[in-house]
Amino acid sequence: MGFINLALLLPILIIFTIFPKSTCSNSLWAEKFLNSAKRAEVVDWMVNIRRRIHENPEVGYQEFQTSKLIRSELDNLDIKYKYPIAQTGIVAFIGSGNQPFLALRADMDALNMEEGVEWEHKSKNPGKMHACGHDAHVAMLLGAARLLQESRLELQGTVILVFQPAEEGGGGAKQMLDGGILDNVGAIFGLHVSTDFPLGSVATRPGPVMAGSGFFEAVISGKGGHAAIPQHAIDPIVAASNVIVTLQQLVSREADPLDSKVVTVAKFQGDGAFNVIPDSVTIGGTFRSFSKEGLMQLRDRIQEVIIGQAAVQRCNASVQFNTDDRPFYPATVNNEDLHKHFLKVAEQMIGSENVMEMQPLMGAEDFSFFAEAIPGYFYFIGMVNETEGQLEPGHSPFFRVNEDVLPYGAALQASLAATYLLEYSPAPAIREDSLRDEL
Ligand SMILES: *[C@@H]1O[C@H](CO)[C@@H](O)[C@H](O)[C@H]1NC(C)=O
Ligand SMILES: *[C@@H]1O[C@H](CO)[C@@H](O)[C@H](O)[C@H]1NC(C)=O
């Protein structure tokens, strides 16, 4: 290497040494991606994707058409992917193909419920609805994919796009994880649309952000009989009622008041006749905690209480946690370093006044499986435009997505990824000592 070349290189190397690499380009990515995402052609394209998915909602592990739609858009963008993982899941790759690897995740499944909103793109599948915004999550991740693919030559590593099935109780994230999709991946980001925060804002927190969850179902058996001759029956309705009242005391009397927990019985089924004591009653519900120990303690006590309290009224009980269909979800815990990274990128893009710290939620999210395996970060992105009125919360039949959120989600995810790669990319190939040798 000649002297002149070195003289040119030296100031550049000094800049690299003195200043962290990130300070020069952070704001550039955020600004560039938000402008790109707000282009009319990109917005229209995302809106169209979101509406096509909304019209054809598919529940956990049956997202076949949704998955096909995503793959055809990835093909159009010339993005390579692996499929199927966990039946309908897709993992796509953008960038150099080398380390570092950073993952972005979207969930694809809908809910078993009837849409109540009357509009042009209402669900065409009876009894199924995208009432949790996963249609928007997919559109935003494809939006991020498009932005990243347009800038692929500038990416200092590889972005992994994760489109997962069955977030709503089916633990699709766990199955994707078991498929090895995050091997060698440094970190993962996920988001959720929110009807609590204004459009153009985000809300999040470091540490635990959503609770861990489990589900239970119990059959309480007695002996059926005539409703007017109770002495010849063993009444499971009264036994189940006492069980439910006793379950209330697990949180109020056994849990630390400063350690949030929930036990809710949401299902109570007898035979439905007015004048017959049924043979058995089925109850079911869910429990929540921010720690694994807390969750396991609740599980053990729920089982003990149901069996013990049913026995007081001469009934037998069997308790099931159905973990094959509904695995326990760990709490979603946001990594502290990624929190700093998130604040930096989000504040650059939307201003610090629009980045809010929120209280943890007792709701659960299977993103937690990813965040348990590698550093993870989950945040909420606001959709509320007050001039357009109140939005119903997720899982309501009247839930609506404000599609103005799409460019924000796409640009944020893309910027979080590109900036991460920049910060965690390997040191420049030419090091100072090798240079000194040449001098
Ligand atoms: C409960 O189980 C015991 C043992 O299997 C059985 O003898 C009894 O009849 C059962 N009682 C009811 C109410 O089902
Ligand atoms: C909120 O909605 C109004 C009416 O549709 C619209 O004019 C305005 O631009 C929206 N605000 C934002 C921040 O998008």
Side-chain angles (χ1 to χ4, degrees):
M1 189 179 284
F3 181 73
I4 294 176
N5 285 349
L6 264 181
L8 283 172
L9 246 171
L10 215 51
I12 299 172
L13 278 167
I14 289 166
I15 290 170
F16 264 98
T17 325
I18 297 175
F19 302 104
K21 281 175 288 171
S22 52
T23 45
C24 25
S25 306
N26 247 349
S27 55
L28 295 185
W29 281 122
E31 210 179 293
K32 174 180 166 170
F33 281 141
L34 188 58
N35 289 335
S36 296
K38 284 184 166 173
R39 281 178 293 165
E41 54 167 320
V42 178
V43 174
D44 292 349
W45 172 75
M46 285 192 285
V47 165
N48 176 274
I49 288 170
R50 185 253 152 178
R51 290 179 180 180
R52 278 189 287 152
I53 296 173
H54 190 87
E55 284 178 359
N56 187 17
E58 299 171 298
V59 296
Y61 299 116
Q62 289 163 37
E63 307 92 341
F64 296 106
Q65 296 304 317
T66 308
S67 175
K68 192 172 163 192
L69 184 156
I70 294 167
R71 280 177 280 128
S72 102
E73 294 297 343
L74 291 172
D75 287 336
N76 292 341
L77 293 169
D78 201 19
I79 294 173
K80 301 261 181 297
Y81 53 82
K82 272 192 206 159
Y83 163 87
I85 302 159
Q87 300 181 50
T88 57
I90 304 163
V91 176
F93 310 89
I94 304 172
S96 68
N98 299 321
Q99 289 274 14
F101 296 135
L102 179 280
L104 300 173
R105 169 271 206 172
D107 36 15
M108 305 187 287
D109 55 321
L111 288 156
N112 279 308
M113 56 190 287
E114 196 71 40
E115 178 160 9
V117 188
E118 292 303 332
W119 68 305
E120 196 187 335
H121 300 281
K122 185 178 177 177
S123 166
K124 294 195 164 94
N125 298 347
K128 300 201 168 50
M129 176 189 179
H130 270 288
C132 202
H134 297 188
D135 48 350
H137 299 168
V138 169
M140 288 189 280
L141 187 53
L142 281 170
R146 180 166 169 171
L147 303 179
L148 290 163
Q149 179 69 348
E150 285 171 356
S151 298
R152 64 188 173 283
L153 299 178
E154 296 156 65
L155 296 179
Q156 307 291 312
T158 310
V159 182
I160 315 276
L161 310 172
V162 178
F163 296 92
Q164 70 150 85
E167 188 282 322
E168 299 285 358
K174 184 170 189 322
Q175 295 222 10
M176 296 288 283
L177 194 64
D178 293 345
I181 62 156
L182 292 187
D183 296 353
N184 304 316
V185 176
I188 184 165
F189 287 92
L191 59 67
H192 206 294
V193 292
S194 168
T195 56
D196 289 331
F197 301 100
L199 184 66
S201 76
V202 290
T204 177
R205 63 179 289 114
V209 63
M210 295 185 82
S213 72
F215 294 90
F216 65 93
E217 189 166 73
V219 178
I220 294 161
S221 321
K223 183 163 159 267
H226 197 296
I229 315 172
Q231 72 274 27
H232 289 168
I234 299 175
D235 187 349
I237 299 261
V238 173
S241 304
N242 280 312
V243 163
I244 292 166
V245 171
T246 308
L247 286 174
Q248 306 312 307
Q249 288 148 40
L250 295 185
V251 173
S252 73
R253 299 294 80 186
E254 296 183 22
D256 179 345
L258 295 177
D259 179 12
S260 304
K261 292 188 173 129
V262 171
V263 175
T264 291
V265 176
K267 170 178 179 175
F268 190 116
Q269 258 169 6
D271 273 352
F274 288 112
N275 53 3
V276 180
I277 293 170
D279 274 328
S280 70
V281 165
T282 302
I283 64 169
T286 182
F287 50 106
R288 308 286 160 111
S289 165
F290 283 96
S291 69
K292 197 161 239 171
E293 304 74 58
L295 209 59
M296 292 308 135
Q297 233 163 31
L298 282 178
R299 177 198 61 185
D300 293 348
R301 286 293 290 144
I302 284 169
Q303 174 147 338
E304 279 172 15
V305 161
I306 293 174
I307 291 170
Q309 184 62 55
V312 173
Q313 262 91 31
R314 297 176 293 153
C315 286
N316 293 335
S318 68
V319 186
Q320 272 177 353
F321 294 95
N322 299 329
T323 46
D324 286 345
D325 297 339
R326 294 178 173 279
F328 291 173
Y329 286 8
T332 305
V333 181
N334 277 340
N335 177 277
E336 307 274 345
D337 289 338
L338 294 180
H339 179 63
K340 292 185 198 120
H341 177 78
F342 178 84
L343 289 185
K344 201 166 54 186
V345 174
E347 286 174 2
Q348 300 268 18
M349 184 176 293
I350 54 180
S352 55
E353 69 281 12
N354 290 314
V355 180
M356 313 186 194
E357 179 143 338
M358 63 187 278
Q359 294 282 92
L361 299 177
M362 296 311 297
E365 192 14 279
D366 79 348
F367 183 82
S368 56
F369 287 107
F370 296 137
E372 202 180 38
I374 65 171
Y377 199 81
F378 195 75
Y379 61 98
F380 291 84
I381 184 160
M383 297 198 293
V384 180
N385 179 342
E386 270 173 7
T387 58
E388 292 184 342
Q390 198 64 37
L391 290 174
E392 293 292 322
H395 295 213
S396 156
F398 300 104
F399 175 82
R400 284 181 298 124
V401 163
N402 177 355
E403 290 167 334
D404 292 341
V405 75
L406 300 177
Y408 288 102
L412 251 177
Q413 290 291 74
S415 307
L416 287 167
T419 312
Y420 178 95
L421 296 185
L422 194 67
E423 286 179 8
Y424 290 80
S425 63
I430 305 170
R431 297 203 329 271
E432 224 177 328
D433 49 350
S434 66
L435 227 145
R436 209 174 288 125
D437 289 345
E438 299 228 33
L439 279 169

